[in-house]
Amino acid sequence: MPKQAVSTAIWWIRRDLRLHDNPALQAALRVARTIIPLFILDEAILTHSHERCNAFLFENLRELDIALRERGSRLFIRRGAPLDCLQSIFHESKAQAIFAQQDFSPYAHTRDKAVAAMLPFTLTPGVTIQPPLSIRKKDGNPYTIFTPYARAWREQLPALHLLDAPTHLETPPILFSEPVPSAQPSQLFPAGEQVALQRLHTFLAKQAWDYQHDRDMPGQDSTSLLSPYFHFGVLSSRLAFQQAQTQAQSNKEAAGFHSWINELVWREFYTMILENFPHVVQGAFREQFSRIEWENNEHHFLAWQKGSTGYPLVDAGMRQLQETGWMHNRTRMIVASFLCKDLLINWQWGETFFYENLIDRDLASNNGGWQWSAGTGTDAAPYFRVFNPVTQSKRFDQQGTYIHQWLPELDNIPDKYLHTPWQMPLDVQQDCGCIIGKHYPNPLINHSLARQLALKTYRKVKA
DNA sequence: TAAATGTTGTC
DNA sequence: ACAACATTT
């Protein structure tokens, strides 16, 4: 960080699209009088992400610009390679320092190293609540199991001093900026930090109380729906944690709050894993699982993607993803288990598909979740843990609320066949206007046989 | 953050 | 016959 005050600093915005509790912005404000809020449209990232995800980003940029203008400032947008853009705006504006929030991915590290080599560049924490490398075992090695990690995480948690949004920002009047790209606003995820803060507030006042139980019910409105906001830093995870923690400490019935906080810690855990073991991006965390003999049947993969596997809860999950860019966590686990175990398709195919379709496309969490499901990862479920899509369906979507929400072709089938439509006698199929094999597919595979095959295939590579 | 299968206990 | 519990995958 520059020791003495400078006149102008660039606040390079990446995954911190907010004014509240923003360490990078505050670091810039501590040394500089004039701030240039800059976002760079990096084609290397944009071309690999779904239009819907980019739309969420663009809408949030628009909201950030509005919030900045209310404070006498504005957002500047450039398009191109980050280093090129930074060098030009740095010289055009005669800025003397650049501040950004540190990001954790192989791409981000390469990018940021190149910038630091050429320009006065300072990174601040802020993506996670605690810096990923700050939590280690006594022997200095990183944790690889969640539970002891979470214990250490809680024990060494420092006091969090949240940072207020600035009330006024001074910004140079004349500097080139591209317009904020226009985009289709999302119904499910309206943009802006005020929406995110309000959503957090509502969640903590209502659903969080029963979160421990209700979060497993994909048909209920029981989760916070905050993941896209966390991913782009529209909402500060430190602030969210602190508010949940305050509620947990001031209420006797705090299980729901602790359970939600635990999900925040999972996010920290997988960011830490990615940081310490970047090879997880390439393949299995544990070497022997790169040798699984997958079937990789393209036809099965397509059916999975479209949501036509014949297992209603799996298909409902995939339709929710296709239609909204988001999927409930319970169904994420179920469709992932189905892809890896029932279809014996390489989990990386699923990882890529999720990464391309989720608005909350977080590299670390997505990779961690898939490795967990596939049983190839750090804290993975044992390989023999295979979800039964029918059991899961009956347990977590008993009334079929979620199935009905996403599979209109099953609208009229009798409740007793909702989880197993293929068991409908032909006359019932005709009565309810849902012919299996015509209006809704036959199951792609027989779960019980598929399970046997998965166990056999996994057993071959187990340590 | 599971499910299937086998064993024992109860009627 | 069928829970409840234990073991195996």
Side-chain angles (χ1 to χ4, degrees):
Chain A
M1 192 177 298
K3 294 230 163 51
Q4 62 288 73
V6 300
S7 62
T8 304
I10 294 168
W11 166 35
W12 180 18
I13 302 158
R14 293 104 61 94
R15 286 178 56 193
D16 54 332
L17 274 64
R18 64 172 184 275
L19 297 177
H20 73 273
D21 191 40
N22 191 316
L25 170 58
Q26 295 295 337
L29 279 169
R30 267 197 300 278
V31 301
R33 201 162 43 82
T34 306
I35 304 292
I36 300 171
L38 170 70
F39 190 89
I40 298 171
L41 299 168
D42 181 352
E43 302 291 347
I45 295 175
L46 295 177
T47 53
H48 289 288
S49 88
H50 196 284
E51 196 183 329
R52 200 161 36 198
C53 182
N54 289 342
F56 181 72
L57 166 65
F58 298 157
E59 283 298 297
N60 277 291
L61 289 175
R62 184 180 317 284
E63 289 297 324
L64 183 60
D65 187 37
I66 292 169
L68 284 165
R69 285 172 192 273
E70 286 167 0
R71 290 161 174 82
S73 177
R74 60 162 297 186
L75 180 63
F76 295 92
I77 301 218
R78 297 277 171 114
R79 186 184 293 270
L83 180 56
D84 294 345
C85 294
L86 284 169
Q87 281 182 314
S88 23
I89 201 166
F90 188 76
H91 293 116
E92 287 164 35
S93 66
K94 301 193 168 53
Q96 294 113 328
I98 302 171
F99 292 87
Q101 176 182 264
Q102 187 181 17
D103 194 9
F104 305 97
S105 74
Y107 176 81
H109 284 310
T110 307
R111 175 194 62 193
D112 292 352
K113 254 181 219 156
V115 172
M118 303 296 288
L119 294 163
F121 184 40
T122 304
L123 290 168
T124 71
V127 163
T128 50
I129 300 163
Q130 299 193 61
L133 296 181
S134 70
I135 294 156
R136 296 182 169 280
K137 296 190 288 188
K138 285 204 178 80
D139 64 7
N141 291 321
Y143 284 96
T144 56
I145 310 286
F146 177 75
T147 308
Y149 168 83
R151 190 177 306 122
W153 189 95
R154 282 189 296 267
E155 278 167 10
Q156 71 168 69
L157 183 74
L160 300 175
H161 303 288
L162 299 186
L163 307 163
D164 288 333
T167 53
H168 182 80
L169 275 180
E170 209 162 299
T171 292
I174 303 164
L175 208 52
F176 171 76
S177 172
E178 285 207 15
V180 178
S182 59
Q184 185 75 38
S186 160
Q187 291 277 311
L188 189 58
F189 301 108
E193 59 188 301
Q194 292 316 316
V195 173
L197 289 164
Q198 181 58 50
R199 193 169 277 206
L200 172 68
H201 186 261
T202 308
F203 173 76
L204 291 175
K206 295 186 181 143
Q207 297 103 317
W209 291 89
D210 297 311
Y211 183 74
Q212 191 177 31
H213 170 263
D214 290 356
R215 73 193 172 117
D216 272 324
M217 308 296 163
Q220 290 181 25
D221 168 29
S222 54
T223 67
S224 67
L225 291 173
L226 285 171
S227 55
Y229 302 94
F230 282 130
H231 176 68
F232 286 102
V234 178
L235 180 63
S236 157
S237 55
R238 306 196 315 162
L239 178 141
F241 168 76
Q242 200 183 57
Q243 292 197 2
Q245 178 85 330
T246 303
Q247 292 248 43
Q249 286 166 350
S250 59
N251 289 296
K252 258 168 95 178
E253 301 289 323
F257 298 102
H258 287 300
S259 166
W260 191 68
I261 288 170
N262 222 34
E263 299 302 311
L264 294 179
V265 182
W266 273 105
R267 184 174 173 274
E268 307 265 308
F269 177 70
Y270 282 134
T271 308
M272 178 280 291
I273 291 293
L274 175 61
E275 186 66 1
N276 283 300
F277 307 98
H279 74 274
V280 296
V281 179
Q282 272 28 276
F285 174 82
R286 286 184 289 173
E287 178 56 28
Q288 77 262 28
F289 289 105
S290 341
R291 296 195 296 275
I292 292 178
E293 293 161 17
W294 305 105
E295 287 195 357
N296 289 343
N297 178 322
E298 304 256 0
H299 165 72
H300 286 178
F301 187 54
L302 271 173
W304 178 82
Q305 289 177 309
K306 290 195 299 200
S308 51
T309 67
Y311 286 92
L313 194 56
V314 173
D315 293 338
M318 296 307 291
R319 305 273 182 97
Q320 182 179 37
L321 176 59
Q322 296 274 13
E323 287 177 39
T324 70
W326 185 84
M327 199 194 305
H328 189 280
N329 187 247
R330 171 54 55 183
T331 37
R332 290 191 199 199
M333 294 191 291
I334 294 166
V335 304
S337 173
F338 192 82
L339 186 79
C340 306
K341 306 282 170 73
D342 286 77
L343 301 181
L344 275 175
I345 289 174
N346 190 333
W347 60 271
Q348 292 176 290
W349 293 25
E351 182 199 11
T352 303
F353 187 73
F354 268 31
Y355 194 64
E356 286 169 351
N357 284 276
L358 284 166
I359 297 179
D360 60 37
R361 61 196 311 265
D362 188 88
L363 180 63
S365 299
N366 190 42
N367 180 271
W370 274 96
Q371 298 231 26
W372 183 89
S373 289
T376 61
T378 51
D379 195 26
Y383 74 93
F384 45 78
R385 190 177 284 178
V386 179
F387 281 52
N388 181 325
V390 175
T391 309
Q392 290 280 316
S393 192
K394 288 177 176 165
R395 185 181 306 160
F396 297 116
D397 192 31
Q398 197 181 11
Q399 311 297 319
T401 317
Y402 184 78
I403 291 172
H404 279 307
Q405 196 176 351
W406 299 107
L407 300 177
E409 61 268 50
L410 301 182
D411 269 357
N412 299 317
I413 81 170
D415 285 350
K416 67 176 287 206
Y417 297 113
L418 194 58
H419 306 286
T420 53
W422 61 90
Q423 290 178 347
M424 262 193 298
L426 206 54
D427 60 322
V428 182
Q429 295 184 28
Q430 276 154 356
D431 285 350
C432 68
C434 180
I435 310 296
I436 299 306
K438 185 178 172 196
H439 302 113
Y440 185 72
N442 269 301
L444 221 48
I445 43 81
N446 171 314
H447 172 70
S448 154
L449 297 177
R451 177 176 174 276
Q452 296 300 327
L453 184 58
L455 293 176
K456 199 173 131 199
T457 308
Y458 269 75
R459 207 158 31 224
K460 285 191 207 162
V461 302
K462 100 182 147 101

